[in-house]
Every structure is written in C-alpha cells, then in structure tokens.
Amino acid sequence: MEAYNSQVNQRIATIASHLNPSNHSQTDGLLGLERGNCRAKGGSTGFKMAILGAAGGIGQPLAMLMKMNPLVSVLHLYDVVNTPGVTADISHMDTGAVVRGFLGQQQLEEALIGMDLVIIPAGVPRKPGMTRDDLFNINAGIVKTLCEGIAKCCPKAIVNLISNPVNSTVPIAAEVFKKAGTFDPKRLLGVTMLDVVRANTFVAEVLGLEPREVDVPVVGGHAGVTILPLLSQVKPPCSFTQKEIDYLTDRIQNGGTEVVEAKAGAGSATLSMAYAAVKFADACLRGLRGDAGIVECAYVASHVTELPFFASKVRLGRSGVEEIQPLGPLNEYERVGLEKAKKELAASIQKGISFFNK
C-alpha cells in the first residue's frame, strides 16, 4: 500500500509540475520530486525551447506542432493571458516533450532560463486595411521587453523572431542584445519561411508539381516589395512566361494580405505561419544537433548587400547561422526588384533602430 501511495504521489507531482510551474518549489519539497527531473520518456535527449506568445493565434498551433517534434525535450509556453489552459491542453498529447506554462511578465524570466531555442510570435495580428507598419508601435515594445528577458536569462539561445514587422523588429532585437553585451548575429534570425512556403506552393500550382518537390529562394525582407522570390533559381529548373512571373511575384508578395482579407477581420495568417515557423524551428534544431547541409532562407545580420540586415539562404549549424550564402545570378527583373526591396528595407531597418534609440 505504501508503494502504491508513493506512485500516486509521484504521478500527482508530475502533473503539478507540468501545469503549475510557479508552485513547483512547494510541491516538489512535499513529494520529493524536483521539477527539473521531470522528463517524459524519450524526451531527455532533446532541446529545451520556449514560445513567447504561446496563447495567440500563431502560438497555439505552433505549440501543438512543436510538442510533436521529437527533438524537443522541454517546451515552455509563455504569454500574458491564457497560458494555463493552453498548457493543460497541449500537455495531454502523448509525445515526449514536457510542457510547462508561464503566465505574465513576472514569470518571463523563469520561462527563459536554460532555453536552447526561443520562438517569438508575440504581438497583435494584422487586420483588414492594416499594413505591417501599422503594427509597429505595439509589437516593437513587446519585442523589446521579451528580448531584454532573453539577454538576461538565455543569452546563448537561438532566437527565431516572427513578430511583425520583422523587417524592423529584428533590428530592435539586435539593439537590445548589443546594449546587454550579448549580441551574436549568428543566433538572431527573423523568420521569413512563410514567404518560401507560399512561393513553393504557388509555383507548384503553376507548374503542376508536388509543392514539397519545389524550392524557391525568397530574399530581401518580409513585407510587400521587400519579399523577392528568385524565380530564375527555382528547383527543379524551369522557365516561366513574363505573365507567370508577374502573377507569382505579386501573389507571393501579397500572400499575407490575401489571408487577412479572406478572414474578413477574424485575423491574419496564423495556421500557415505556425506551419512555416515549425519547419524553420526544426531546421534550427537539426542544425543544433549537428546535422549537415541544413540550408533555409532567413532574415539576418548580413553583408550580402550594403544593408545591415537581409534575408537570404543561410546554412544552419550548432552555433546558429554558420554561413550566409550569396544571392547567386539574378536576371534583370530580379535586379530591378532587388533595388526596390532594398530601398524600402533600408527605411524599415532604420525605423527599428530609431525606435530603440528614442
């Protein structure tokens, strides 16, 4: 009977550590179970990651999909509202990652300590008629606060930044890390994977191919004309008419607006963004594991152009970005598009830096 009671207490403590991380010191002391020792079977060899903004439209499906990733051993879910419910829900999934929830600013640091990867989808979504710049003042402040926590609690973590406008929030994050003395350009990545996912999908539709067989490099930034699909470099090699190039470029650049308008006030691209974020996070985790040949597009501190930040293909590894690849040969249409992209991108980068310095 005593052994049975011990097993029951152990199970109760395990559940408590998942759902009430802020109470772990009391519970663990009573039941002799350290929360840090709670590990789902098979999960202990993976990485620790946190999602900041886990209760939002992107955060919830992102958290669910990351719970399914065998490379994740510990999954911390942070938000200013609703994380207890999201945590309880996702923690019931029978996969290896141990899920813990953190609610409110007072628990941000606890959510971040010891993390290998931090994904930030936090912020307000776009609504009809809004541009990504309309989101700027709200989301810029949120990103600044969260990155201050990262600089303090897990300065060596890989940071995947989703919060829009990415063209400006990544420079803000860089300035926060520089001020804290923790900036490592290899470890700060703006997530532009949704542009690549859309490009692969739309090009596959035109060519009549399976989307997963298509690879379209998308460079520049993550808004409007700064999104530059390099259709001359599509794999498998193919050719397009000028009409197809115009159609594809426009649709890829305005894919976000297409979703915002279709949702008619009910939000922006959340499900496809979560899918793209997970695809990119998985690439980062495989890089951390030491897998070779992991190449994806991302918006990073870069010398590919004269701009301080630019999205292009990067090779991922144990330290984050291990190589920034050149743009490769561009045709005339792409060269014109690049100049347009750089002009707008320069203003967005400066906007982020000015926000930090004001």
Side-chain angles (χ1 to χ4, degrees):
M1 187 66 181
E2 187 174 328
Y4 173 77
N5 287 337
S6 175
Q7 290 175 351
V8 170
N9 287 341
Q10 187 89 351
R11 287 199 298 272
I12 292 171
T14 302
I15 293 168
S17 74
H18 288 196
L19 304 185
N20 301 300
S22 59
N23 297 330
H24 72 275
S25 57
Q26 275 188 319
T27 306
D28 295 351
L30 288 171
L31 299 177
L33 179 66
E34 289 293 329
R35 188 187 69 170
N37 292 330
C38 278
R39 293 290 182 272
K41 289 182 179 177
S44 60
T45 57
F47 296 98
K48 298 178 181 180
M49 65 165 294
I51 298 173
L52 309 184
I58 297 169
Q60 289 197 41
L62 172 57
M64 181 185 73
L65 292 169
M66 291 312 304
K67 176 74 166 83
M68 297 165 64
N69 191 309
L71 294 178
V72 178
S73 62
V74 174
L75 179 61
H76 282 189
L77 306 181
Y78 169 85
D79 214 318
V80 293
V81 293
N82 300 332
T83 34
V86 174
T87 304
D89 198 355
I90 287 177
S91 71
H92 292 180
M93 294 169 61
D94 60 348
T95 58
V98 173
V99 184
R100 301 184 183 120
F102 301 85
L103 180 64
Q105 182 72 32
Q106 69 280 6
Q107 293 190 355
L108 175 61
E109 292 186 7
E110 189 181 0
L112 289 169
I113 291 171
M115 294 297 104
D116 301 304
L117 174 68
V118 179
I119 308 179
I120 309 178
V124 297
R126 287 174 71 196
K127 293 178 179 154
M130 290 177 73
T131 67
R132 285 183 171 87
D133 278 345
D134 292 330
L135 308 179
F136 179 77
N137 285 325
I138 299 171
N139 288 357
I142 292 170
V143 167
K144 181 173 180 285
T145 299
L146 296 176
C147 288
E148 287 168 350
I150 292 168
K152 181 178 179 181
C153 300
C154 55
K156 298 293 187 184
I158 306 293
V159 178
N160 289 180
L161 187 49
I162 297 170
S163 306
N164 275 317
V166 167
N167 292 353
S168 301
T169 55
V170 170
I172 291 170
E175 292 301 312
V176 171
F177 296 147
K178 286 174 187 176
K179 183 179 179 182
T182 65
F183 181 54
D184 181 349
K186 295 180 179 180
R187 297 178 183 272
L188 174 61
L189 302 95
V191 180
T192 61
M193 179 66 86
L194 181 52
D195 301 322
V196 176
V197 165
R198 286 175 173 147
N200 292 344
T201 301
F202 303 156
V203 167
E205 287 176 359
V206 168
L207 297 176
L209 297 174
E210 157 66 46
R212 285 171 292 188
E213 295 173 359
V214 177
D215 179 27
V216 185
V218 182
V219 303
H222 183 56
V225 298
T226 70
I227 300 168
L228 182 62
L230 301 182
L231 298 175
S232 67
Q233 298 181 26
V234 170
K235 293 178 183 177
C238 56
S239 59
F240 300 97
T241 66
Q242 188 58 49
K243 186 176 180 181
E244 288 172 334
I245 291 170
D246 290 338
Y247 162 78
L248 286 167
T249 301
D250 179 72
R251 193 174 179 204
I252 293 162
Q253 289 179 338
N254 295 293
T257 301
E258 181 180 320
V259 175
V260 168
E261 291 176 352
K263 288 192 173 182
S268 58
T270 53
L271 302 175
S272 55
M273 182 65 246
Y275 166 81
V278 167
K279 191 174 181 183
F280 187 71
D282 182 70
C284 289
L285 292 173
R286 286 183 286 122
L288 282 172
R289 185 173 63 179
D291 291 16
I294 309 297
V295 176
E296 300 291 353
C297 292
Y299 181 65
V300 297
S302 172
H303 299 293
V304 165
T305 70
E306 65 274 19
L307 298 175
F309 297 91
F310 197 80
S312 60
K313 283 196 169 186
V314 300
R315 180 169 55 81
L316 301 168
R318 293 189 188 277
S319 58
V321 176
E322 298 202 335
E323 178 192 12
I324 299 175
Q325 300 188 350
L327 295 182
L330 306 183
N331 61 30
E332 181 59 26
Y333 185 91
E334 291 161 351
R335 284 194 292 272
V336 170
L338 177 61
E339 292 309 309
K340 287 183 187 174
K342 287 196 294 186
K343 184 177 178 181
E344 184 165 319
L345 195 50
S348 297
I349 292 168
Q350 187 54 51
K351 187 172 185 177
I353 294 170
S354 298
F355 172 86
F356 178 82
N357 290 331
K358 73 180 180 182

